[in-house]
Amino acid sequence: MRARHIAVAAACTAMAASLCVIPGASAQDGPSALAERTLATKLDIPWDIEFLPDGSGIFTERDTKKIKQIKGTTVTTLDTVDEAQTTGGEGGLLGLAVSKTFATDNSVFIYYSTASDNRIAKLKLGGTPAPIVTGIPKNRYHNGGGLEWGPDGFLWATTGDGQNTANAQNWNSLGGKVLRFDTAGKAAAGNPRAGSVVYSIGHRNVQGITWVGNTAYATEFGNSQTDEINKIEAGKNYGWPTCEGNCNTAGMTNPVKTWSTSQAGPAGIGFYKNALYVGAVTGKRVWKIPVNGTSLGTPQAVFTNYGRVRAIAPAPDGTLWLGTSNQDNNGSPGANDDRIISTDG
């Protein structure tokens, strides 16, 4: 019988209520420096941030395998997913999506690594995960991990190639893909191949996904040259491993934005106040990309003093939440100082 740890404490030592000011920030950086507020500190690689019906934040910690809640600046552990296993790299407890009927079923959907695979499950908090999609390739690195509700009412997941480049071009593998499915793990109506949850192929390691209207944009880690944002469309092939960044190979779709791998390491992405915000774990910043209709503007580097920014989450109260991921890389502002920040425009 597995161990289960449910904490009901009203507070946690992993919190702070201080206001933060970014040195040298300017109005063109978007949200004002004075509007930034640290909600929680001394976290352990907060990976994905979502929100409950009452407006409070809920997030996963990759290596502790905990699901935690933030109300104001009070952090409470809601559950520990003992089935999740870390990989000594990028695997563990990753993506999170709150059930559309959370108020009645107290459930979330989670993306996590196990001994044999990455998988997606429905979890009633305090219970046992019920897997709905299994067999996503797992390795030390390239585990993907994004999980979001699309505007179409289906769940979308982003996966990595599991360090096997052949997976990305194989329609029968769930690795190196964007997946689209219902709450039972069945293929969504309109997927390019009947009965398959695969929506797009040719990805190396996709993590974040968001929408501008009905248009999906996903972040992708490159290998040694080029990181990407791709506009995700049904049945498209985004090139990996033949292409990294732009190429002229027939049948392969180029990204809509690129960076050198030293500038980005694009992870979480969110649409907020007419711009895409992209967390960069290698570049140690957030990239703000203005959106005008279907056009994306020039990326601007913002929030450059928090180190590795992984999670990006527009909140129901009109603010933007950022989650840092410094503990596993000793990045600025220092190891063991992962935090969640709230900011507004």
Side-chain angles (χ1 to χ4, degrees), residues 29-157:
D29 286 345
S32 163
L34 295 177
E36 291 172 40
R37 188 181 187 206
T38 295
L39 302 177
T41 62
K42 295 182 172 58
L43 305 178
D44 191 344
I45 312 175
W47 210 95
D48 193 8
I49 304 169
E50 300 294 337
F51 297 91
L52 296 178
D54 66 1
S56 62
I58 182 173
F59 64 96
T60 53
E61 285 186 333
R62 189 189 71 192
D63 289 0
T64 68
K65 304 177 285 187
K66 295 182 184 298
I67 299 172
K68 295 182 176 181
Q69 181 182 25
I70 299 180
K71 283 189 174 183
T73 55
T74 298
V75 179
T76 304
T77 297
L78 299 179
D79 206 343
T80 300
V81 183
D82 293 314
E83 289 83 353
Q85 293 195 14
T86 59
T87 64
E90 297 169 348
L93 180 58
L94 305 173
L96 177 69
V98 176
S99 170
K100 295 289 189 180
T101 53
F102 182 87
T104 57
D105 64 20
N106 198 40
S107 295
V108 296
F109 293 87
I110 54 174
Y111 184 126
Y112 61 105
S113 309
T114 72
S116 60
D117 65 357
N118 288 301
R119 57 182 55 185
I120 295 154
K122 185 174 183 178
L123 171 67
K124 183 174 183 179
L125 295 174
T128 301
I132 61 171
V133 176
T134 61
I136 301 168
K138 183 210 83 169
N139 212 314
R140 183 175 182 182
Y141 301 108
H142 302 190
N143 292 293
L147 184 62
E148 299 288 346
W149 289 103
D152 54 9
F154 291 108
L155 286 163
W156 295 55

Side-chain angles (χ1 to χ4, degrees), residues 256-328:
V256 292
K257 287 295 175 184
T258 62
W259 299 266
S260 70
T261 52
S262 64
Q263 291 180 305
I269 183 172
F271 181 58
Y272 177 75
K273 295 187 177 180
N274 298 315
L276 293 172
Y277 284 79
V278 179
V281 296
T282 305
K284 298 181 182 179
R285 66 194 71 188
V286 173
W287 288 103
K288 177 186 176 183
I289 306 171
V291 177
N292 183 7
T294 58
S295 299
L296 302 185
T298 301
Q300 308 163 30
V302 298
F303 306 120
T304 57
N305 73 322
Y306 288 125
R308 294 160 55 90
V309 179
R310 182 175 299 278
I312 302 284
D317 65 359
T319 62
L320 181 69
W321 288 27
L322 315 176
T324 70
S325 185
N326 290 310
Q327 185 165 326
D328 58 345

Side-chain angles (χ1 to χ4, degrees), residues 156-216:
W156 295 55
T158 60
T159 76
D161 66 11
Q163 295 183 273
N164 180 351
T165 59
N167 286 333
Q169 292 294 319
N170 180 0
W171 275 92
N172 294 319
S173 169
L174 299 184
K177 306 294 191 297
V178 173
L179 311 179
R180 179 172 171 265
F181 49 93
D182 66 16
T183 56
K186 303 300 183 183
N191 278 8
R193 296 195 177 189
S196 173
V197 298
V198 173
Y199 193 73
S200 66
I201 71 170
H203 301 285
R204 180 176 180 269
N205 191 26
V206 205
Q207 288 196 355
I209 188 166
T210 196
W211 287 262
V212 178
N214 292 317
T215 301

